[in-house]
């Protein structure tokens, strides 16, 4: 991560804009709760821009916010993320090791009540924010496509949560180009 005076100013401006929507021109289109054995793990909320096509999610910028209901280490989140990414697409053991290390470095440990925002830019990578500030990034397009596919790919392990997240994109012509 590179931080400097310009980056810091840009982050302040972004944080102000993010109070309304975490992504320019985006609107909240869905939300749902991930449960495991009846316990709430986190609440997920998805913001997308007009023209978003859920069947081709990787072609569109988006913002996904997770509000945690439990404490997790960055290492545990990264490990589970790599396991879930395997459902979305194939990658080498070397990529898995590199991505798990990058994600562990990019994410903070989270406590119940913490909100972690992931911003996806097609072809560029992922930026992670907490409390309106950048906490990390993974500038790898393939990683990012598979990472956000955990929630948005038809191959997700949680199809019900996916449907809740993309529900509003399926109505009122929102998903039409």
């Amino acid at each position: 991560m590179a931080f400097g005076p310009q980056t810091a100013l840009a982050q302040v401006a972004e944080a102000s804009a993010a109070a309304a929507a975490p992504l320019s021109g985006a609107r909240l289109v869905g939300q749902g709760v991930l449960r495991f054995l009846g316990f709430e793990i986190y609440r997920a909320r998805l913001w997308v821009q007009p023209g978003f096509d859920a069947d081709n999610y990787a072609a569109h910028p988006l913002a996904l916010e997770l509000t945690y209901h439990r404490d997790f280490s960055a290492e545990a989140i990264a490990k589970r993320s790599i396991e879930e990414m395997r459902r979305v697409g194939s990658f080498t053991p070397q990529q898995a090791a590199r991505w798990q290390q990058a994600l562990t470095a990019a994410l903070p440990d989270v406590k119940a009540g913490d909100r972690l925002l992931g911003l996806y830019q097609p072809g560029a990578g992922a930026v992670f924010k907490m409390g309106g500030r950048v906490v990390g990034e993974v500038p790898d397009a393939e990683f990012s496509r598979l990472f956000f596919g955990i929630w948005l790919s038809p191959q997700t392990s949680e199809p019900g949560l996916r449907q809740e997240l993309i529900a509003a994109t399926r109505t009122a012509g929102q998903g039409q180009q």
Side-chain angles (χ1 to χ4, degrees), residues 3 11 15 128-136:
F3 292 99
Q11 289 173 4
F128 300 99
K129 293 183 171 188
M130 185 179 274
R133 69 177 188 87
V134 174
V135 293

Side-chain angles (χ1 to χ4, degrees), residues 64-100:
L64 181 75
E65 179 188 69
L66 303 181
T67 302
Y68 287 87
H69 295 277
R70 306 249 177 264
D71 299 354
F72 293 100
S73 69
E75 185 176 353
I77 295 170
K79 182 179 180 196
R80 182 62 185 194
S81 295
I82 296 299
E83 292 170 7
E84 291 295 323
M85 288 165 62
R86 288 192 198 313
R87 292 176 158 282
V88 179
S90 60
F91 45 90
T92 67
Q94 294 81 9
Q95 285 174 305
R98 188 172 64 246
W99 290 344
Q100 185 168 335

Side-chain angles (χ1 to χ4, degrees), residues 5 21 26-27 32 38 40 46-47 58 62 112 114-115 122 126 130 141 146 158:
R27 71 179 189 103
E40 290 188 0
L46 177 66
W47 284 266
L62 57 90
D114 283 349
R115 290 181 185 183
M130 185 179 274
L146 296 172
E158 297 293 332

